[in-house]
Amino acid sequence: MYRAGVILSGCGKKDGTDITEAVMLFLALDRAGVETVCMSIDKDQFEVVNHLEDSTQMSGQKRNMLIESARLARGGIVDLDGVENVDFDILIIPGGKGVLKNLSTFMSEELEFRVNSSVQRIIADSNRSGKPIGAMCGAVVLLAKSLENIANNLKITATGQPEEGRIAIERTGFNHRDCQEGEVCTDEENMIVTSPALSPDVDLEVVRTTAESMVQALLTLLRKKGAAP
């Protein structure tokens, strides 16, 4: 059985990992017979958002990213600091606003942002060892920044990204490929699969199709490489 490492950034579309994307990804992996290894970072989120009122909580409330991500993983999650790329066959990062808020300094440093060192390490190590990597929605920006000085001629999609996300991707110098919702962009040379940023009111069927397309594209790359489960 292949193993997929999934990086989570909390639990909630506005301040962590998008729950719908994560659940659809878990379902796609399960249907494909792939074991899921969930991981996150043991540190506080950048902020906590009231999803009912769509406003930031200003009361100083704090939530730990690893603990919040365990909600999505049903408790089955590990600290990313203790993970090596030998622990999985493919790496996937689902979207959600917490991807950049919690896994990088994007909110405070904007276009000069840095990726969390643990996340940067696992992405870079996976790329150098030729393991397929998938990034959904906002995670594409994180992936591009992580591989800025590592990958060559990377082909990714910036479709659907907000302006700051598109600019951040453009500044990495990588090649943008147009991609429709429900589809994915595959870079066979660099073993990278990316998906467009989905609109807030997108149908669940589109999220499911995107997740399944992502998983199948990553498995195709893995099998072409000749990796046995």
Side-chain angles (χ1 to χ4, degrees), residues 79-94:
D79 189 335
L80 185 59
D81 284 343
V83 175
E84 301 294 336
N85 68 357
V86 295
D87 296 327
F88 51 82
D89 301 292
I90 59 179
L91 179 66
I92 312 175
I93 313 172

Side-chain angles (χ1 to χ4, degrees), residues 90-135:
I90 59 179
L91 179 66
I92 312 175
I93 313 172
K97 292 188 176 180
V99 171
L100 290 177
K101 286 181 178 180
N102 300 333
L103 303 183
S104 79
T105 60
F106 191 83
M107 297 302 292
S108 58
E109 298 179 356
E110 298 181 336
L111 295 179
E112 303 302 324
F113 77 103
R114 294 164 288 115
V115 177
N116 173 276
S117 59
S118 297
V119 176
Q120 167 81 38
R121 172 186 61 82
I122 205 70
I123 291 176
D125 287 351
S126 297
N127 178 257
R128 290 190 183 103
S129 61
K131 294 197 174 183
I133 305 175

Side-chain angles (χ1 to χ4, degrees), residues 2 89-90 130-134 185-194 214-227:
Y2 291 121
D89 301 292
I90 59 179
K131 294 197 174 183
I133 305 175
C185 171
T186 301
D187 180 346
E188 293 191 16
E189 179 183 356
N190 288 292
M191 304 283 279
I192 299 292
V193 181
T194 53
M214 171 75 64
V215 170
Q216 290 305 316
L218 289 166
L219 289 176
T220 296
L221 291 174
L222 194 59
R223 289 167 182 145
K224 284 184 177 180
K225 182 185 176 185

